[in-house]
Amino acid sequence: MRAEDLQVAREAYENYAEFYRKSSYSAFPQQHRTIQGTGRSSMILVEQGRHELADPAVEEVVISTPLSAPACSYDWNMGAGWAGGKSRTGDLIIVPPNVESRWRVGGPRKLVILAVPVGHVRGLLGPECPDDLSSALEPLSGSTAPNAVVSTLLEQLWTLGDPEGPLGRMLADSMVLALICQVLILARAGTPHPASGAFSPREWRRVCDYIDAHLQEEIALADLAHLAGWSVRHFTRMFRQSTGQTPHNFIVLRRVDRAKDLLRKQKLQLADVALTCGFADQSHFTTCFRKATGLTPLRWRRELV
């Protein structure tokens, strides 16, 4: 990491969005939006390239997810040493307030980022807000397993843009509140990674890698159980206990995430997207996509900015 980049990261910025505009991140194509409810939050849509940079500690909760991350490995350090993995579409990435973070990103990825001021978080949560938000969110620091609730809400909030009128501001507040509540619930549970006594991080990555590599095919539950070294019955029980989802539902959501990548980047027919992502046909694809996002694939593609 260059010395000037470390210096930039330690300069005072009004908020995370300003940092993105004025630091070395300004070299990356990016769009900015303001989400104005009872408080003001910032959103960034950025196409990152390979980099090694440090982000400053800000008085904001920063929540992001990759919209696409083809073959991108990366590492992060938030004061507890370096950790790393492979960036995945839909991963939950959290930086607690007042925490400096360092990143080594090995390839291109597109992120949508939400930065919510601590004061706004406290106003939304009221007496339910933890006294120390940084400590409350510490279990999620860095990158964790994909979370469909967070990734879908972030994408819909970006699509909403700067809301107009009282109802629009109420909608913005409700979506930001839902995001904050979800990450706090996950943090209190420890982590959206499988819990202690279930999968190890390495086993979890192995299962996810296998799923992502075989989305176009029929994925047998027995094959996933074999990767973890368990019986099918035990694997299914532990998977649901660890993630809150059945393996089937998890696979469907991964297929929906893959479909989003194709809908963003290519002019493929919906039937081709459906087959490429492992859905039985276009009708099955549309049903699953609408259930996961609230929109049909065609409408989702048209509304994407």
Side-chain angles (χ1 to χ4, degrees), residues 88-288:
R88 303 170 184 277
T89 301
D91 277 356
L92 171 59
I93 305 174
I94 299 292
V95 182
N98 303 307
V99 173
E100 181 180 295
S101 58
R102 300 186 181 188
W103 305 89
R104 299 170 179 161
V105 178
R109 63 178 186 172
K110 187 175 184 179
L111 296 176
V112 60
I113 304 168
L114 171 68
V116 188
V118 168
H120 188 29
V121 175
R122 296 197 183 283
L124 290 172
L125 292 176
E128 297 302 319
C129 186
D131 292 335
D132 187 344
L133 276 169
S134 297
S135 296
L137 292 171
E138 191 276 334
L140 297 185
S141 293
S143 178
T144 59
N147 186 274
V149 173
V150 173
S151 60
T152 299
L153 280 170
L154 281 174
E155 290 187 52
Q156 291 180 343
L157 193 57
W158 174 263
T159 302
L160 174 67
D162 189 4
E164 297 182 359
L167 291 178
R169 290 189 289 272
M170 289 175 65
L171 176 60
D173 273 347
S174 67
M175 294 174 73
V176 172
L177 176 60
L179 280 161
I180 295 297
C181 288
Q182 176 71 356
V183 297
L184 283 172
I185 288 169
L186 291 171
R188 288 172 181 173
T191 170
H193 279 306
S196 176
F199 303 94
S200 69
R202 179 174 296 181
E203 288 170 339
W204 179 244
R205 284 292 177 184
R206 189 183 303 134
V207 169
C208 288
D209 285 343
Y210 182 89
I211 290 172
D212 287 342
H214 296 83
L215 283 178
Q216 193 172 359
E217 310 165 17
E218 182 177 349
I219 298 175
L221 195 55
D223 292 337
L224 298 180
H226 177 74
L227 287 172
W230 295 337
S231 69
V232 170
R233 182 178 179 182
H234 184 66
F235 173 83
T236 302
R237 183 172 65 251
M238 296 307 294
F239 193 100
R240 184 157 193 167
Q241 175 183 317
S242 301
T243 67
Q245 304 176 60
T246 66
H248 172 74
N249 288 342
F250 184 86
I251 292 169
V252 169
L253 290 175
R254 297 304 293 155
R255 286 180 168 139
V256 168
D257 287 338
R258 177 70 58 81
K260 289 178 181 178
D261 285 342
L262 296 177
L263 291 170
R264 286 187 191 96
K265 298 183 295 185
Q266 303 181 28
K267 298 296 184 180
L268 291 176
Q269 296 295 318
L270 295 184
D272 295 330
V273 173
L275 294 178
T276 299
C277 297
F279 294 100
D281 51 36
Q282 184 175 335
S283 176
H284 181 223
F285 170 42
T286 299
T287 299
C288 293

Side-chain angles (χ1 to χ4, degrees), residues 1-11 13 19 23-25 51-56:
M1 184 181 296
R2 298 178 302 169
E4 56 265 36
D5 289 329
L6 282 172
Q7 180 62 36
V8 165
R10 293 191 173 97
E11 292 178 2
Y13 290 93
F19 164 67
S23 71
S24 296
Y25 282 110
H51 65 272
E52 184 175 346
L53 295 170
D55 294 4

